[in-house]
Amino acid sequence: MDKLIICCTPYQIFLIDLIVKTYKIGGIHLIYFGKIDKKTKLYFEKIRPNVEKLNFFEIGEGKRLKEILLFKKFVHETLEEKYHEVWFANFNALEIKIINSICSFDYYVGFDDGLGSINKKSGLYRESDSILRFLFYYSLGIRINDFHLFRFVEKYYGVYDKKLYPFKKIYPITYNFDNDFHSKGDEILNFFVAQPFDEEKLDYKKLESFLNKNNVKFFFPHHRQNYFLKSLEVIDTQYLFEDYIIDIISSKKYSQIVIYSINSSVLLNCVNFDGVSCISLKSEKLYSEYKFIYDLMEVSGIKVVDYVSS
């Protein structure tokens, strides 16, 4: 095995599975650290036939320092001292820096998870570690930060437009399904995809009123959200939304599918699916804080609507 691929969310496993199948990549040792639930186990089973070795380290609600020490022990016992390539998406994850301090690599490969890699205002584009963080990292044997890791990357697999990335070698991630939308039905299917916003940023009553006016019937939850919209039916599935919507498109039962969300990357991931319309919802407060994301939505062909004043 010459490739170590590191994942820490089910979505990252989903993307790696797409990359491996599209580009016929082998020699993979995949490790996962993070929460392990039914959804994670589902994606473990999906990718298991396509990797040579799969290990995981569960991160729960325990004491963080103890967890870090146990993770270091896991790395020493589970990983090889040297790999030709290391792949990862979370540049800011402490665990990835720990792996980098213990194992050696010739070549660094990045892949998408969210918008951090294309947001020029994110910490990846500037060196900004505090003295306390530097000392903490140093005590763990870590000599690099997010900024350094980002610059080590020589090849990148991305979901979005190549022009948005700062890397020289960029390979597109494509969803492998029949995207030729010839529907047999005449019904429009409307979804709202949730994100973990609190009440200070999101007016739930006005949001629910807007969605009801637009005949949105279904609510796709986020694992870190703390709210539900009572008038919408919750979609109970272990599948990621992208995986779930691909099945619906492939069924060809609906004349159109409309996805509403605040500013979830789901909208950017699905905007080019045939027969799918994506709508991003804003308020003045949300727009002032997430202007970069809303501007990116509009440039990508996603309609941005003020749910408060509409």
Side-chain angles (χ1 to χ4, degrees):
M1 292 174 293
D2 63 344
K3 299 176 188 69
L4 177 66
I5 298 184
I6 308 166
C7 296
C8 56
T9 67
Y11 180 63
Q12 290 177 15
I13 300 174
F14 170 70
L15 289 183
I16 287 297
D17 198 36
L18 290 176
I19 294 167
V20 167
K21 289 173 180 174
T22 302
Y23 294 96
K24 313 297 183 197
I25 295 167
I28 296 168
H29 182 184
L30 188 142
I31 69 161
Y32 173 91
F33 64 87
K35 181 181 178 182
I36 298 177
D37 54 16
K38 289 180 180 178
K39 180 175 289 189
T40 313
K41 289 176 182 177
L42 172 68
Y43 286 93
F44 281 164
E45 293 312 308
K46 278 175 168 279
I47 201 168
R48 195 182 292 276
N50 300 316
V51 300
E52 276 64 41
K53 189 175 180 182
L54 171 64
N55 296 103
F56 54 85
F57 180 88
E58 184 167 15
I59 291 178
E61 303 297 326
K63 293 181 179 179
R64 184 61 172 148
L65 183 56
K66 181 181 178 182
E67 208 165 54
I68 290 167
L69 295 175
L70 288 172
F71 183 76
K72 288 189 75 171
K73 184 172 183 286
F74 164 81
V75 172
H76 280 292
E77 292 176 350
T78 309
L79 304 191
E80 297 175 18
E81 290 183 4
K82 182 175 177 58
Y83 295 85
H84 177 56
E85 294 179 7
V86 60
W87 296 40
F88 53 88
N90 277 55
F91 293 89
N92 59 348
L94 176 61
E95 287 82 358
I96 288 174
K97 298 179 185 70
I98 289 171
I99 292 169
N100 196 77
S101 71
I102 295 171
C103 305
S104 62
F105 310 101
D106 299 319
Y107 199 73
Y108 287 74
V109 181
F111 62 95
D112 267 334
D113 182 29
L115 304 175
S117 296
I118 57 176
N119 183 357
K120 303 299 189 292
K121 293 183 179 179
S122 77
L124 301 179
Y125 286 83
R126 61 186 185 279
E127 195 160 9
S128 58
D129 275 349
S130 67
I131 294 297
L132 286 177
R133 181 178 291 182
F134 172 80
L135 292 173
F136 177 63
Y137 281 179
Y138 200 86
S139 70
L140 294 172
I142 296 170
R143 302 293 184 268
I144 56 171
N145 59 21
D146 310 359
F147 177 82
H148 297 139
L149 271 179
F150 194 57
R151 270 141 193 80
F152 288 166
V153 169
E154 297 178 65
K155 182 165 69 174
Y156 196 88
Y157 291 86
V159 175
Y160 312 118
D161 190 324
K162 284 185 176 184
K163 292 180 287 188
L164 296 171
Y165 299 99
F167 309 106
K168 290 180 180 178
K169 294 181 181 178
I170 302 162
Y171 297 82
I173 299 173
T174 54
Y175 296 94
N176 299 317
F177 73 105
D178 179 10
N179 194 24
D180 187 10
F181 193 82
H182 293 294
S183 172
K184 297 173 183 175
D186 56 6
E187 184 182 351
I188 297 174
L189 185 62
N190 298 319
F191 288 97
F192 175 74
V193 178
Q195 290 169 264
F197 286 112
D198 58 33
E199 290 184 29
E200 290 182 9
K201 292 182 180 176
L202 203 58
D203 188 322
Y204 300 142
K205 288 182 180 178
K206 288 184 178 177
L207 174 61
E208 190 164 9
S209 174
F210 173 88
L211 294 173
N212 289 337
K213 274 191 241 177
N214 286 274
N215 200 33
V216 179
K217 303 291 187 184
F218 298 101
F219 181 98
F220 199 94
H222 187 283
H223 68 279
R224 287 192 286 113
Q225 77 189 50
N226 57 4
Y227 65 92
F228 286 92
L229 304 177
K230 293 180 181 178
S231 61
L232 274 62
E233 181 181 337
V234 176
I235 302 296
D236 184 15
T237 178
Q238 299 304 325
Y239 285 97
L240 295 161
F241 184 79
E242 291 85 348
D243 223 355
Y244 179 80
I245 205 70
I246 284 170
D247 277 349
I248 290 178
I249 293 169
S250 300
S251 75
K252 304 185 187 298
K253 291 180 180 178
Y254 302 96
S255 62
Q256 187 183 15
I257 297 165
V258 184
I259 305 169
Y260 293 83
S261 187
I262 300 303
N263 52 29
S264 171
S265 57
V266 157
L267 298 175
L268 291 162
N269 297 344
C270 298
V271 68
N272 292 319
F273 289 0
D274 198 14
V276 173
S277 298
C278 294
I279 299 174
S280 175
L281 304 179
K282 70 173 182 177
S283 64
E284 283 188 20
K285 184 179 289 187
L286 286 167
Y287 184 78
S288 64
E289 185 165 348
Y290 301 103
K291 184 179 183 301
F292 160 77
I293 299 176
Y294 285 114
D295 289 349
L296 178 60
M297 295 282 180
E298 290 187 312
V299 167
S300 303
I302 295 167
K303 187 178 180 181
V304 177
V305 176
D306 191 322
Y307 76 88
V308 176
S309 60
S310 297

